[in-house]
Amino acid sequence: ARLRGFISPPLLAALGERATQVVPSMLPIHLAAVLSTYADLGQLPPQSLLAVLARRGEETAPQMTAKDVSGVLGAFAKIWKAHAEAQLEILNSGTDTGGSSTALSLALMEQLGKSLVKAIDARATVVAPLMSASDVADVLDAFAVLAEPPEEPLLVALGQRAKAVVGEMNAQDVAKTLNAYAQLKAIRGGLSIVRL
């Protein structure tokens, strides 16, 4: 796969097993790092690790900072996108001998994510007034990647914060924010940013 010789599959498996054991002591920054790293390596974490990471994310969500919210949500979106694309490729290629297991894998990943995203959505609404320009862009981008519009209170809070920090946005923040709004509008079918 895409490991490119940097890390052997047995070492990655051993690290995944150990991560599963130490997840209860992980802070949100660790959760984001583990999820992002697997996505960067082009690998899906073992389902047991993914389950405990999602659960730990739900547990820590009420204490997450604005940076934690954007980091964990962004990392989960990244791993979800990589997993979904890989599973859909298998289904579409006709090489999947166990189509039901691929579909089950997609359903499991979706179910794990729903509770995590709901918990992070609630916390993001609280910390939105503290978000940096990049945090706003990253949170909106993550919801767009997940094809899951945020709940209305968060959408309003993010719009208000985006207006407050627009002068601090760099080119990437502006592009991410505009692109996310366009994608979320298409998903939601009528998302309004004008009223903000």
Side-chain angles (χ1 to χ4, degrees), residues 26-111:
M26 285 188 180
L27 300 173
I29 192 170
H30 304 133
L31 301 174
V34 170
L35 288 168
S36 285
T37 300
Y38 271 95
D40 291 344
L41 291 171
Q43 300 292 310
L44 181 66
Q47 287 184 353
S48 58
L49 175 57
L50 198 53
V52 294
L53 286 168
R55 192 169 347 157
R56 181 67 179 156
E58 289 175 56
E59 292 169 0
T60 61
Q63 293 82 39
M64 285 184 185
T65 65
K67 186 61 68 190
D68 293 338
V69 164
S70 68
V72 173
L73 186 62
F76 179 76
K78 192 176 184 182
I79 199 75
W80 164 251
K81 181 180 179 187
H83 176 63
E85 287 175 352
Q87 296 303 310
L88 290 173
E89 185 177 313
I90 290 169
L91 285 172
N92 292 332
S93 71
T95 60
D96 184 21
T97 57
S100 62
S101 66
T102 300
L104 181 63
S105 177
L106 273 171
L108 176 65
M109 181 80 171
E110 182 178 12
Q111 191 54 46

Side-chain angles (χ1 to χ4, degrees), residues 140-157:
L140 285 166
D141 181 63
F143 277 104
V145 167
L146 292 168
E148 186 73 33
E151 295 293 326
E152 189 68 20
L154 177 56
L155 189 58
V156 170

Side-chain angles (χ1 to χ4, degrees), residues 112-178:
L112 288 172
K114 282 186 180 193
S115 297
L116 175 61
V117 171
K118 184 177 178 180
I120 291 177
D121 185 296
R123 181 60 180 170
T125 303
V126 173
V127 299
L130 305 172
M131 288 184 181
S132 68
S134 292
D135 292 336
V136 171
D138 291 343
V139 168
L140 285 166
D141 181 63
F143 277 104
V145 167
L146 292 168
E148 186 73 33
E151 295 293 326
E152 189 68 20
L154 177 56
L155 189 58
V156 170
L158 288 171
Q160 290 170 344
R161 187 61 181 161
K163 281 177 27 181
V165 298
V166 73
E168 300 166 25
M169 287 185 172
N170 62 29
Q172 183 177 6
D173 296 335
V174 170
K176 270 185 169 179
T177 302
L178 286 170

